[in-house]
Amino acid sequence: MAEASRWHRGGTSKHKLHYRKDVEIRTTLQELLLYFIFLINLCILTFGMVNPHTYYLNKVMSSLFLDTSVPGEERTNFKSIRSITDFWKFMEGPLLEGLYWDSWYNSHQLYDLKNSSRIYYENILLGVPRVRQLKVRNNTCKVYSSFQSLISECYGKYTSANEDLSNFGLTSNSEWRYSTSNTNSPWHWGFLGVYQNGGYIFTLSKLKSETKNKFIDLRLNNWITRGTRVIFIDFSLYNANVNLFCIIRLVAEFPATGGIVTSWQFYSVKLLRYVSYYDYFIASCEIIFCIFLFVFTTQEVKKIKEFKSDYFKSIWNWLELLLLLLCFVAVSFNIYCNIQIFLLLGQLLKSTEKYSDFYFLAYWHIYYNNIIAITIFFAWIKIFRFISFNKTMSQLSSTLSRCIKDIVGFAIMFFIIFFAYAQLGFLVFGSQVDDFSTFQNSIFAQFRIVLGDFNFAGIQQANHILGPIYFITFIFFVFFVLLNMFLAIINDTYSEVKADYSIGRRPDFELGKMIKQSYKNVLEKFRLKKAQKDEDKKTTKDSGDLAEQARREGFDENEIQKAEQMKKWKERLEKKYYSAEIQDDYQPVTQQEFRDGTTIKYKVRFSECLTK
């Protein structure tokens, strides 16, 4: 009756429970197969969008415009610019020579240029390059009274409120007059500030000689002033051999402290998406992706209606919603980019005598690639939802889920100490060491110290006393104490999970059994493996042979019968308490219980089995 009451708890029969379990396993298997098809389609879609030549195009262009030295000064290139003089040398040297290629390497006339430059003979310059400057007004900072007799002008850092909108210099030319922006390009986020569109703009000429004279004229008339805070050099290229646009932006920021800080952006993107047959295959994958998105969305809506608030109690359901949200954002970005390319690309290619602003299209295309990258990352993470069919992966998930509370408590203690050291490093070494120049850099520098990448000489030189103390104590507390505590938490929990699994208290692996059984059936069908009945006969025969062998070795009948009875008891215990058909409460066994052997709880269960 005890066993019958157990099976009929809640009014569910053994047959119905087994049937419901079988349906659940088959449904999970179907979901897994469907999701794998979706994942394969998504991988084809994402990797098909990436052109392997983007890296090489970026590399060759960065080598030309960033690493080429000024004639006569091998150490001066765009990366090493530190003064206004160096900047003009770069403009009249490497930049001018890099933009205008009008002859072959043996000085012969290049093939038909059609009034355009061919950089490296293969990349056509679209339109003409543009140079843009942003300035700040005078008296945008306050001079202390004791220095007012010595300092009459003060130019603060760049902000939209401090920006200078007035004309200066030779106002008869456009480059000396402020121009508002007529493009949709986003604001630029630089090292020293966020810069808006507009400014003092001039475009270069189609002829190299005219551009060089323009640079000389601007340099002699002081186009760059004390109020200059940033200069942008923008131009775009197209390589028909690999169907790639390369949008280049060189940035020179002029901080209020003096000097120049340089940065750059090279965006190689495929704006003409559908050209070859392979591109149309990728387009078909995009359509299939949208179909999958519609199916998955419908499934999740049905689940929400069925389970209501209980639906949001599972972390996997939240991951599913996040993945669907990212998919919808990716589709929206794709539609928006295609519409903008359709509307703007033809107009930009027609304006050969003006600056063609491809930066706007490249900017959103890069964001679309980023969204796709994040989407496929979470798509792969979702596979862990189906790991219950594998014992090893189930141990990993069980370990992480069981020790999550300990990890959260440890993380609070870890980051208190970690941020305390980060603030100490920023305040003590921030003015001397580049790795600690900002609080954000201090945090990343400490992560690098944990991984063994550090600049101890710079820390020690910045402060001979606090430098070594900071370094030694940080290594001791964070590396030797806290990290080993973290590993101890993981190791101790993993040992408990292994102990539970070793005595049979583990989650079901019915899905894995079904996959394994299907695999065996296929092998048996093609006669690559003996049938299961033959294996069972062989096992029964081996069991009888073991009993006969025990008799020959001198064991009496009582010992042999006791051994067989113990084997039957073990099988009954496993069937009664660890069967996949019985929804028993899962109670973890600690390491101490596992070391002590059979506890009182298991003795009671064993005695109940013997009485039946």
Side-chain angles (χ1 to χ4, degrees):
M1 292 298 294
E3 184 175 356
S5 63
R6 179 181 182 88
W7 281 113
H8 290 280
R9 184 184 302 170
T12 303
S13 64
K14 179 178 179 180
H15 176 72
K16 290 183 178 179
L17 184 63
H18 183 275
Y19 175 76
R20 186 175 62 185
K21 191 71 175 179
D22 187 62
V23 171
E24 181 182 352
I25 292 172
R26 291 183 180 277
T27 303
T28 304
L29 184 59
Q30 292 174 0
E31 291 180 358
L32 177 61
L33 295 177
L34 182 65
Y35 186 75
F36 264 116
I37 297 174
F38 165 77
L39 190 59
I40 293 173
N41 178 78
L42 183 59
C43 290
I44 295 174
L45 176 62
T46 52
F47 287 105
M49 292 166 44
V50 178
N51 192 317
H53 298 284
T54 54
Y55 168 76
Y56 299 104
L57 183 58
N58 288 338
K59 182 179 179 180
V60 71
M61 289 302 154
S62 63
S63 175
L64 177 62
F65 292 103
L66 302 181
D67 299 329
T68 304
S69 302
V70 174
E73 300 181 19
E74 296 182 357
R75 297 184 178 181
T76 303
N77 53 32
F78 185 79
K79 294 180 179 179
S80 63
I81 290 176
R82 293 295 178 266
S83 65
I84 298 177
T85 303
D86 293 339
F87 180 80
W88 283 118
K89 289 181 179 179
F90 167 78
M91 296 285 284
E92 299 174 18
L95 179 65
L96 194 66
E97 297 297 328
L99 289 175
Y100 297 95
W101 294 59
D102 51 9
S103 62
W104 200 247
Y105 61 90
N106 56 3
S107 300
H108 288 180
Q109 184 65 30
L110 205 57
Y111 53 86
D112 188 13
L113 296 177
K114 296 182 181 179
N115 197 25
S116 62
S117 177
R118 304 296 176 96
I119 300 175
Y120 276 120
Y121 314 115
E122 302 294 344
N123 305 279
I124 183 172
L125 183 64
L126 301 176
V128 293
R130 183 188 68 179
V131 180
R132 179 168 66 95
Q133 174 188 184
L134 293 177
K135 298 172 56 180
V136 295
R137 300 188 310 274
N138 186 17
N139 298 324
T140 51
C141 51
K142 187 177 181 180
V143 180
Y144 190 67
S145 57
S146 301
F147 293 94
Q148 288 181 355
S149 60
L150 299 175
I151 303 174
S152 59
E153 297 178 341
C154 184
Y155 298 88
K157 66 178 182 179
Y158 177 85
T159 62
S160 58
N162 294 341
E163 186 176 359
D164 189 1
L165 306 179
S166 61
N167 302 331
F168 75 106
L170 306 177
T171 56
S172 58
N173 298 328
S174 60
E175 58 267 19
W176 303 92
R177 299 193 303 268
Y178 185 86
S179 301
T180 57
S181 174
N182 55 0
T183 63
N184 297 323
S185 295
W187 291 10
H188 181 85
W189 193 346
F191 286 130
L192 305 177
V194 179
Y195 306 99
Q196 61 182 9
N197 298 319
Y200 304 90
I201 304 172
F202 73 92
T203 56
L204 306 187
S205 172
K206 287 282 188 178
L207 300 178
K208 180 179 179 180
S209 58
E210 292 183 2
T211 301
K212 184 173 183 179
N213 293 333
K214 189 71 171 181
F215 285 159
I216 295 175
D217 180 68
L218 293 174
R219 173 170 56 84
L220 295 177
N221 289 282
N222 296 324
W223 189 68
I224 301 176
T225 65
R226 288 183 58 193
T228 301
R229 286 295 171 262
V230 65
I231 295 178
F232 298 97
I233 305 171
D234 297 297
F235 53 96
S236 304
L237 313 171
Y238 176 69
N239 190 308
N241 300 336
V242 294
N243 189 25
L244 285 177
F245 289 81
C246 185
I247 291 83
I248 301 174
R249 168 169 286 184
L250 306 179
V251 184
E253 297 180 76
F254 296 73
T257 57
I260 299 178
V261 178
T262 58
S263 60
W264 49 88
Q265 292 177 343
F266 292 84
Y267 293 153
S268 292
V269 295
K270 185 178 180 180
L271 299 181
L272 300 175
R273 299 274 307 273
Y274 309 111
V275 177
S276 62
Y277 290 110
Y278 181 73
D279 296 334
Y280 288 108
F281 170 72
I282 297 298
S284 64
C285 292
E286 293 177 347
I287 297 175
I288 297 174
F289 174 81
C290 293
I291 296 174
F292 272 112
L293 182 58
F294 175 77
V295 172
F296 290 151
T297 304
T298 305
Q299 291 178 352
E300 295 307 312
V301 170
K302 290 181 180 179
K303 290 180 181 179
I304 293 175
K305 290 182 178 180
E306 180 181 357
F307 298 104
K308 297 182 180 179
S309 60
D310 293 336
Y311 174 86
F312 301 97
K313 295 181 180 180
S314 173
I315 186 68
W316 296 114
N317 293 335
W318 283 102
L319 178 61
E320 185 73 36
L321 294 178
L322 176 61
L323 185 59
L324 290 177
L325 177 63
L326 290 173
C327 290
F328 277 110
V329 172
V331 172
S332 302
F333 268 66
N334 188 22
I335 295 175
Y336 179 76
C337 290
N338 287 332
I339 291 175
Q340 293 299 324
I341 291 173
F342 176 77
L343 295 176
L344 299 178
L345 187 60
Q347 299 177 4
L348 293 174
L349 294 177
K350 289 179 181 179
S351 57
T352 58
E353 300 296 331
K354 298 179 181 179
Y355 168 69
S356 300
D357 190 6
F358 287 89
Y359 186 82
F360 172 76
L361 298 178
Y363 178 84
W364 286 108
H365 196 279
I366 293 298
Y367 264 83
Y368 170 65
N369 288 345
N370 294 341
I371 291 295
I372 284 293
I374 298 173
T375 302
I376 196 171
F377 170 79
F378 283 106
W380 279 104
I381 294 298
K382 186 187 171 183
I383 291 184
F384 283 96
R385 184 175 185 173
F386 306 99
I387 64 173
S388 61
F389 67 86
N390 183 275
K391 179 180 178 181
T392 303
M393 290 190 292
S394 181
Q395 288 178 354
L396 172 63
S397 62
S398 299
T399 301
L400 295 178
S401 61
R402 193 181 298 186
C403 69
I404 187 65
K405 294 182 179 179
D406 294 333
I407 291 178
V408 171
F410 166 81
I412 295 174
M413 177 180 61
F414 174 83
F415 283 109
I416 288 175
I417 299 176
F418 192 83
F419 284 125
Y421 271 101
Q423 195 167 21
L424 173 64
F426 168 62
L427 296 175
V428 176
F429 315 118
S431 60
Q432 302 292 329
V433 183
D434 180 63
D435 292 340
F436 295 87
S437 57
T438 63
F439 183 71
Q440 181 181 0
N441 289 346
S442 299
I443 294 175
F444 289 119
Q446 290 186 161
F447 279 115
R448 290 168 54 192
I449 291 176
V450 173
L451 297 175
D453 180 16
F454 53 85
N455 181 18
F456 177 74
I459 297 175
Q460 186 179 28
Q461 186 176 3
N463 195 307
H464 294 286
I465 298 176
L466 292 179
I469 293 176
Y470 162 85
F471 182 79
I472 293 173
T473 55
F474 178 81
I475 289 295
F476 177 77
F477 286 110
V478 176
F479 187 78
F480 289 109
V481 177
L482 293 179
L483 288 185
N484 283 283
M485 285 180 60
F486 175 75
L487 295 177
I489 292 173
I490 299 293
N491 185 55
D492 186 62
T493 308
Y494 181 72
S495 299
E496 293 180 3
V497 172
K498 290 282 287 185
D500 288 353
Y501 278 48
S502 64
I503 64 172
R505 300 194 64 83
R506 55 180 178 265
D508 303 335
F509 299 109
E510 294 296 330
L511 183 60
K513 293 179 181 178
M514 179 175 289
I515 297 175
K516 187 176 181 180
Q517 185 62 38
S518 301
Y519 174 72
K520 289 182 178 179
N521 292 338
V522 172
L523 294 181
E524 292 174 3
K525 185 176 181 180
F526 290 98
R527 298 181 179 180
L528 298 176
K529 187 178 181 180
K530 294 182 178 179
Q532 185 65 32
K533 295 181 179 180
D534 297 339
E535 295 290 338
D536 294 340
K537 292 180 180 179
K538 183 178 179 181
T539 303
T540 305
K541 182 179 179 181
D542 292 342
S543 178
D545 293 342
L546 288 175
E548 293 296 332
Q549 184 179 358
R551 292 188 181 93
R552 287 196 300 269
E553 292 180 359
F555 291 95
D556 58 20
E557 291 296 329
N558 292 332
E559 291 176 333
I560 295 174
Q561 291 178 1
K562 287 181 180 180
E564 292 178 348
Q565 188 176 11
M566 288 294 294
K567 183 178 180 182
K568 293 179 180 179
W569 286 346
K570 181 180 178 182
E571 292 175 353
R572 291 183 63 185
L573 280 172
E574 291 179 350
K575 182 178 181 180
K576 181 177 178 60
Y577 293 104
Y578 308 130
S579 175
E581 300 175 351
I582 302 175
Q583 304 297 323
D584 198 7
D585 295 333
Y586 182 74
Q587 299 177 353
V589 178
T590 62
Q591 285 183 313
Q592 187 64 34
E593 290 176 336
F594 183 67
R595 295 192 189 99
D596 293 343
T598 306
T599 60
I600 297 175
K601 178 172 62 176
Y602 300 111
K603 290 179 179 178
V604 172
R605 290 183 176 181
F606 191 72
S607 62
E608 289 179 355
C609 182
L610 293 177
T611 57
K612 296 181 181 179

